[in-house]
Amino acid sequence: MTGWAAAAASQFILVIPYFFWYCHVGATDMIKEVLTVSALNSRIKDLLEVSFELLWVEGEVSNLRRPASGHFYFTLRDDRSQIRSVIFRSPFASRMPFPDRRPVFDLEEGMHVICRARVSVYSPRGEYQLIVESMEPKGTGALQLAFEQMKNRLEQEGLFDAVHKKRIPFLPERIGVITSPTGAVIQDILTVTGRRFPSVDILVAAVRVQGSEAPAEIIQAIGRMNAVGDVDVLILARGGGSPEDLAPFNDEGVARAIFRSRVPVISAVGHETDFTIADFVADLRAPTPSAAAELAVPLRQELIANLEDLHHRMFHLYQRMTRRFRERLTLVSERLKDPKRRLADLRLLTDDRLERTHRTLRRLIAERKQNLVRLENRLGRVFPALRIGEQRAALDRTRKEMVVRIGKARERGSDRLHFLTAMLDSLSPLAVLNRGYSIARRLSDGKIVREAGNVSAGSDVHVRVSSGSFDTRVTRVYEE
Amino acid sequence: MAKDNFEAALGKLEELVRRMETGDLTLEESLKAFEEGTRLARICARKLDEAERRVEILLKQGEDLVVKPIPGEDRDDG
């Protein structure tokens, strides 16, 4: 393993000849003490670990291994020398309170790094090595680390959260631009906004965009832009530059000022590939200042075209709609019938219905009647009282009839009696006698004298008149 | 504020046209929509027709914030 070859370079080697020389030149008396190996290593350990307690070492990573333990083993080297190094995974391996000991980047073979480390001696083997506490890639260095750390912290606090992002107004009336008053950035923004929407006002807050004064000025400008009151959107812009140049936009105060701003902020810092803290906190990140201007302001021509299109569509729709309603109206009017005709129809219909209703009713009544009779018959059969009643009624009827008939018979009898009496009266000789007639009988034999010849002169005759009778003698007979 | 009005008006106009396009408006509703749409379109058009912009600079004088025009800074270059 090449690792062991490298390890050999870090071992202590006792240089024996020198030791002999030392012994030879000096006297045996001069040997005050003889150390054991472990005592020596122990001393070396004390010496080294105290002298090199914490230091920065720069070099290139090689022979990188990461066994199951999770610790990183590698050799840190430059063109002339090398030293064995280790990064322990366990936080307890560190005596220094590093907040973030693990490399924030991925450690790679050949990477040029700066390590914060201490020298450690492993006495059992007589080896020394670097215990690396933390590490940064060379070039970005501490700034980068600070950036990452602050970025993480602000992210934890929620400053980058989408829920806090304010909406960029669709058509601002006034745009606040925070940037350097000189240089291409402000010109680009003015040009682009002027081209896209010539009537949008621009309010510039001139600030320094690099150097130690810059953060305070930017923070102040954000505050002032908010104080002005009628700024609709802010563009915080800076042209490209080195990471150090962009540092003000990684300032925590600036980040918090952007977060606090009531006016939505578009950040446009550096080139497209540069990401600053300001970009993360801003409500919208533009890759460049020109892009920020485009994001802040709509294209007037597009709006006009859109508006005209909407207006046309609306007009045609309205026309189409009125036409459709007119057509419907015509259609409905045609279908509208004369009410009189409708009335006649209804009349016929009513008649028909009525007729059918009557028929049905009659049929129903007949059916019911039949039913009733049938039921009564059945009832009569099963219910004698009803028949008794019937019989009694018949009896009553008969009796009454009889009485009537008796009366009538009697009447008829008495009539006949009268008639007969009258008849008798008319036939009675007495009645005749009353009218002046008389009945003459021969006294001798009592025979009624009907003819003059029945008597002769000298015959005695009994004459009956109405009241009494008398005897007389015929003196002469006159025959006719 | 006029800027809100513009977007709101444009949004309303779009919504009106969309509703008219679905075609289930009554005649009265569509007449109303048409009138309202015309009014909104006029509002939007007025905003689009507005005059030249001002380019100003924000300064602090004493305790006061002042806004001053940037002389000769901007001409409408279309």
Side-chain angles (χ1 to χ4, degrees):
Chain A
M1 252 205 229
T2 49
W4 291 115
S10 304
Q11 276 179 346
F12 300 113
I13 297 165
L14 292 176
V15 185
I16 306 296
Y18 173 81
F19 181 73
F20 275 117
W21 175 81
Y22 182 80
C23 292
H24 179 73
V25 172
T28 315
D29 296 338
M30 289 181 73
I31 301 171
K32 296 220 170 113
E33 58 177 325
V34 176
L35 297 172
T36 61
V37 173
S38 45
L40 174 60
N41 268 345
S42 176
R43 277 202 195 172
I44 291 171
K45 182 178 169 72
D46 288 347
L47 195 67
L48 284 182
E49 291 189 355
V50 169
S51 307
F52 301 102
E53 204 193 34
L54 201 58
L55 47 115
W56 291 95
V57 193
E58 175 187 338
E60 191 188 306
V61 175
S62 66
N63 300 317
L64 177 65
R65 297 181 298 122
R66 191 172 189 194
S69 64
H71 310 313
F72 289 96
Y73 291 98
F74 59 98
T75 306
L76 196 64
R77 68 198 305 171
D78 58 19
D79 52 355
R80 276 175 301 185
S81 187
Q82 56 187 2
I83 182 168
R84 295 180 67 209
S85 306
V86 61
I87 303 175
F88 288 122
R89 195 174 62 103
S90 162
F92 304 110
S94 168
R95 287 185 299 168
M96 298 302 293
F98 262 80
D100 187 6
R101 280 184 342 97
R102 285 188 310 121
V104 290
F105 49 89
D106 288 330
L107 194 55
E108 284 168 20
E109 184 80 19
M111 191 178 261
H112 204 156
V113 295
I114 300 173
C115 302
R116 187 175 165 88
R118 57 192 167 83
V119 174
S120 165
V121 174
Y122 184 53
S123 310
R125 283 177 181 262
E127 292 172 6
Y128 71 95
Q129 58 200 337
L130 280 177
I131 311 288
V132 178
E133 302 275 352
S134 70
M135 176 187 280
E136 294 164 13
K138 186 167 159 45
T140 45
L143 260 179
Q144 182 66 29
L145 184 65
F147 173 86
E148 295 293 343
Q149 284 175 346
M150 194 205 354
K151 188 182 155 215
N152 287 339
R153 194 169 64 247
L154 295 182
E155 191 166 14
Q156 298 279 312
E157 279 185 46
L159 264 70
F160 307 160
D161 284 1
V163 290
H164 297 306
K165 302 289 183 205
K166 289 178 277 296
R167 194 171 151 274
I168 308 302
F170 176 71
L171 175 54
E173 289 213 316
R174 195 182 211 187
I175 301 172
V177 181
I178 300 173
T179 192
S180 164
T182 58
V185 170
I186 185 66
Q187 284 309 322
D188 285 352
I189 290 173
L190 287 175
T191 305
V192 172
T193 54
R195 192 178 60 223
R196 290 176 69 84
F197 209 110
S199 63
V200 176
D201 295 338
I202 306 289
L203 181 61
V204 181
V207 295
R208 269 175 277 192
V209 290
Q210 67 188 69
S212 58
E213 307 295 322
E217 288 188 15
I218 293 168
I219 293 166
Q220 203 172 45
I222 293 172
R224 286 177 185 174
M225 283 292 190
N226 274 277
V228 168
D230 63 349
V231 174
D232 301 317
V233 61
L234 278 178
I235 298 176
L236 176 59
R238 190 207 190 284
S242 72
E244 286 75 19
D245 290 342
L246 303 185
F249 298 87
N250 287 324
D251 181 86
E252 188 171 340
V254 170
R256 293 189 186 281
I258 293 170
F259 186 72
R260 271 197 312 273
S261 175
R262 277 178 292 103
V263 181
V265 177
I266 302 176
S267 71
V269 180
H271 296 299
E272 195 162 351
T273 48
D274 297 323
F275 273 87
T276 62
I277 298 285
D279 290 323
F280 292 111
V281 191
D283 299 296
L284 186 63
R285 186 237 174 199
T288 63
S290 299
E294 284 179 16
L295 290 169
V297 170
L299 251 184
R300 183 162 164 269
Q301 279 314 314
E302 261 176 24
L303 286 183
I304 290 172
N306 184 18
L307 190 64
E308 279 172 0
D309 172 57
L310 278 172
H311 197 246
H312 278 137
R313 267 160 69 198
M314 187 181 70
F315 187 72
H316 287 304
L317 281 167
Y318 180 67
Q319 275 190 330
R320 207 178 65 194
M321 176 141 304
T322 47
R323 196 170 57 236
R324 225 179 48 210
F325 273 106
R326 195 166 294 129
E327 280 164 5
R328 258 174 72 186
L329 183 64
T330 315
L331 212 70
V332 168
S333 314
E334 281 167 1
R335 283 167 53 202
L336 199 64
K337 269 190 191 167
D338 182 357
K340 272 183 196 156
R341 209 190 316 163
R342 178 99 183 106
L343 202 61
D345 287 354
L346 282 174
R347 222 170 251 154
L348 287 174
L349 186 72
T350 314
D351 251 21
D352 181 46
R353 291 275 157 81
L354 202 61
E355 168 63 23
R356 276 160 61 189
T357 311
H358 280 171
R359 223 180 304 149
T360 310
L361 266 176
R362 277 199 299 273
R363 186 171 49 77
L364 281 176
I365 290 168
E367 275 175 15
R368 298 281 149 84
K369 240 178 211 163
Q370 263 180 14
N371 243 342
L372 187 63
V373 169
R374 228 178 9 250
L375 286 172
E376 273 174 355
N377 286 345
R378 277 168 64 192
L379 190 64
R381 278 199 292 281
V382 297
F383 193 45
L386 203 66
R387 292 175 71 188
I388 291 169
E390 256 174 32
Q391 304 286 14
R392 189 168 283 149
L395 190 61
D396 275 356
R397 271 198 310 278
T398 313
R399 187 181 289 138
K400 273 182 195 144
E401 207 167 287
M402 197 173 72
V403 170
V404 169
R405 282 193 186 168
I406 287 171
K408 277 186 181 160
R410 191 184 286 144
E411 243 167 62
R412 263 199 320 270
S414 105
D415 285 354
R416 192 159 173 77
L417 189 60
H418 283 283
F419 173 73
L420 288 175
T421 310
M423 197 82 149
L424 205 57
D425 279 351
S426 68
L427 289 177
S428 165
L430 291 174
V432 178
L433 295 177
N434 276 341
R435 288 200 303 265
Y437 295 92
S438 54
I439 302 167
R441 294 173 189 260
R442 283 181 305 205
L443 205 52
S444 52
D445 54 4
K447 274 204 175 162
I448 293 169
V449 178
R450 291 178 196 270
E451 295 163 7
N454 287 135
V455 286
S456 51
S459 313
D460 294 325
V461 172
H462 184 82
V463 176
R464 167 95 181 169
V465 292
S466 176
S467 51
S469 56
F470 57 86
D471 293 340
T472 189
R473 196 158 288 158
V474 180
T475 58
R476 217 174 150 178
V477 179
Y478 308 92
E479 278 192 273
E480 288 176 22
Chain B
M1 283 203 259
K3 61 195 174 277
D4 291 331
N5 282 349
F6 182 85
E7 191 181 2
L10 192 66
K12 266 193 206 160
L13 182 58
E14 280 166 340
E15 169 65 14
L16 277 180
V17 173
R18 197 190 56 69
R19 273 175 56 204
M20 287 174 84
E21 275 167 343
T22 61
D24 37 51
L25 293 187
T26 66
L27 186 60
E28 283 83 356
E29 283 168 343
S30 73
L31 175 62
K32 234 179 239 166
F34 180 69
E35 283 172 350
E36 174 70 0
T38 309
R39 193 182 67 82
L40 292 169
R42 203 171 297 136
I43 290 173
C44 294
R46 201 179 304 138
K47 176 69 198 166
L48 292 174
D49 290 341
E50 262 173 16
E52 273 184 25
R53 67 174 173 183
R54 292 171 294 159
V55 176
E56 294 160 318
I57 190 154
L58 181 65
L59 298 169
K60 182 139 178 155
Q61 288 189 343
E63 285 302 301
D64 301 323
L65 289 177
V66 291
V67 171
K68 287 195 169 167
I70 299 181
E73 177 58 57
D74 184 63
R75 291 270 70 90
D76 191 336
D77 47 5

